[in-house]
Amino acid sequence: MALACEGLVVEYTSGGYLVRPVDELSFEVSDGELALLLGPSGCGKTTVLSVLAGILQPAAGRLRLDGTDIAGLTGRALAAYRLGRVGVVFQAFNLIPSLTAAENVEIPLLAAGMPRAQSRRRAAALLDQVGLGERARHRPAELSGGQQQRVAIARALALDPPLVIADEPTAHLDYVQVDSVLRLLRSIADDTRMVIAATHDDRLIPLADRVIDMNPDLPVEEPRSNRISLPAGEVLFEQGDPGDYVYMVESGEVDIVRVLADGGAQLLNTMRPGRYFGELAPMLRLRRSATARARTDAVVTALTAQEFRRTAGRQGNLNARPGASSETPDGPR
């Protein structure tokens, strides 16, 4: 069995803006593999897991598990997929506080219509598998973080799904607990099951069969020259472009606009001589979150992050004033 993701695009509206955390993502994972969605917070890892879990619908792309188009499932077929084909290990565990460890594991079994006696035997066997057989009658508050994570993994395995997804499985664990949970995740990826974990924790890399980099090196933004002349209406960079340069306005005016969910655009600011914009993208290796377009004929200077730091340091941040670039939507001035 294999999972194939081709050209996945996920977008949503946030505060009236159009946000695209996942853009043209492609990867494959096979049975027996532990795959990592690796990257920093905000890069779209949890969003991808939500699509895999059948919670979010992508805007474009294909996602197939053993030939089944996950993105195309609806109604009863989607409910059946969520219940029996994918097991989810949540970052915050999401155990029900009033239930014992065994009862938490039984929830999906009972939801699937399994008789109670059979569900109890299955839950007991799963807790034994994750090394918590003797803690079956304890409630979450009586368990350590690592133990709660193991209960969550046992629950995800309840209906023996071919795909298990885990969101930041080591986020709430100390270094002692991390080792046992990582080994457990490694062990449950077998001939009939694949495991996909979203993480920023590079300690998982040695245990992984496949690493899907959610924040790869972006293509380099090539300025036409260090000093760029822009006729009125010309776009310097667009929302979503890579960002390797900070721009200083030498003359004229440059508008910073952001795409709205309805397809329109909002003016965030107008950059005038002596103002700089686009500084966070090259410093944090982000894509541009707004578009820069010349309002009038304009001349701008392109600076690398290092050149910008030196320039700002020499000027003591007194002459060069920051603008509301792609990172600071404080409105037009």
Side-chain angles (χ1 to χ4, degrees):
M1 185 176 295
L3 174 72
C5 175
E6 302 174 7
L8 189 69
V9 176
V10 182
E11 59 186 28
Y12 57 85
T13 301
S14 177
Y17 299 116
L18 181 66
V19 180
R20 183 173 289 176
V22 180
D23 193 4
E24 295 290 338
L25 177 67
S26 298
F27 62 85
E28 291 187 0
V29 183
S30 300
D31 278 344
E33 290 187 335
L34 169 61
L36 302 183
L37 295 173
L38 186 67
S41 297
C43 70
K45 303 187 301 295
T46 300
T47 300
V48 173
L49 292 189
S50 296
V51 175
L52 291 174
I55 297 171
L56 281 181
Q57 286 288 325
R62 302 175 68 184
L63 192 61
R64 293 185 175 274
L65 178 63
D66 195 28
T68 299
D69 182 7
I70 299 173
L73 295 176
T74 59
R76 292 183 178 179
L78 179 58
Y81 169 79
R82 290 171 175 168
L83 182 61
R85 301 280 286 168
V86 59
V88 181
V89 182
F90 297 95
Q91 180 176 344
F93 315 138
N94 286 13
L95 302 179
I96 298 177
S98 60
L99 300 183
T100 66
E103 289 168 340
N104 269 281
V105 177
E106 284 185 65
I107 290 174
L109 299 168
L110 296 173
M114 183 178 290
R116 184 167 292 277
Q118 186 179 350
S119 69
R120 286 175 178 171
R121 290 194 296 271
R122 173 66 175 162
L126 286 168
L127 288 174
D128 282 338
Q129 180 180 339
V130 300
L132 285 179
E134 62 183 23
R135 308 284 284 179
R137 295 185 179 181
H138 289 71
R139 290 180 170 78
E142 301 170 306
L143 303 174
S144 69
Q147 290 170 334
Q148 291 184 58
Q149 187 69 288
R150 286 170 171 268
V151 174
I153 292 172
R155 182 182 58 192
L157 295 174
L159 293 170
D160 199 21
L163 171 63
V164 171
I165 59 178
D167 190 9
E168 295 286 2
T170 62
H172 300 291
L173 309 181
D174 60 39
Y175 72 93
V176 175
Q177 298 165 339
V178 164
D179 181 72
S180 61
V181 168
L182 295 187
R183 294 182 186 280
L184 177 58
L185 287 173
R186 173 67 270 176
S187 70
I188 63 176
D190 57 28
D191 292 341
T192 61
R193 182 183 298 114
M194 63 191 77
V195 178
I196 300 178
T199 186
H200 66 278
D201 191 345
D202 56 12
R203 291 175 295 183
L204 277 70
I205 292 177
L207 295 177
D209 301 294
R210 192 180 301 269
V211 177
I212 302 158
D213 189 354
M214 294 294 295
N215 194 34
D217 290 336
L218 298 176
V220 175
E221 175 190 26
E222 294 289 352
R224 284 157 283 188
S225 66
N226 182 256
R227 194 168 185 268
I228 305 168
S229 295
L230 300 169
E234 182 166 346
V235 172
L236 177 63
F237 57 73
E238 292 187 347
Q239 187 168 319
D241 284 351
D244 291 282
Y245 293 89
V246 184
Y247 293 96
M248 191 84 72
V249 180
E250 302 296 336
S251 65
E253 299 179 346
V254 178
D255 285 341
I256 307 298
V257 298
R258 184 168 291 163
V259 177
L260 300 176
D262 61 6
Q266 178 189 8
L267 176 65
L268 301 180
N269 211 330
T270 297
M271 303 294 101
R272 296 181 173 86
R275 305 287 293 279
Y276 61 80
F277 58 94
E279 65 277 8
L280 292 189
M283 291 180 176
L284 301 180
R285 297 298 298 147
L286 300 172
R287 291 185 181 273
R288 302 291 188 187
S289 58
T291 293
R293 181 176 60 234
R295 174 183 284 246
T296 66
D297 291 349
V299 175
V300 300
T301 298
L303 303 172
T304 65
Q306 186 176 13
E307 289 170 338
F308 171 68
R309 290 190 187 97
R310 288 201 300 264
T311 299
R314 286 197 302 268
Q315 295 177 339
N317 290 319
L318 294 177
N319 297 325
R321 296 176 58 208
S325 63
S326 55
E327 298 83 13
T328 316
D330 58 356
R333 297 179 182 175

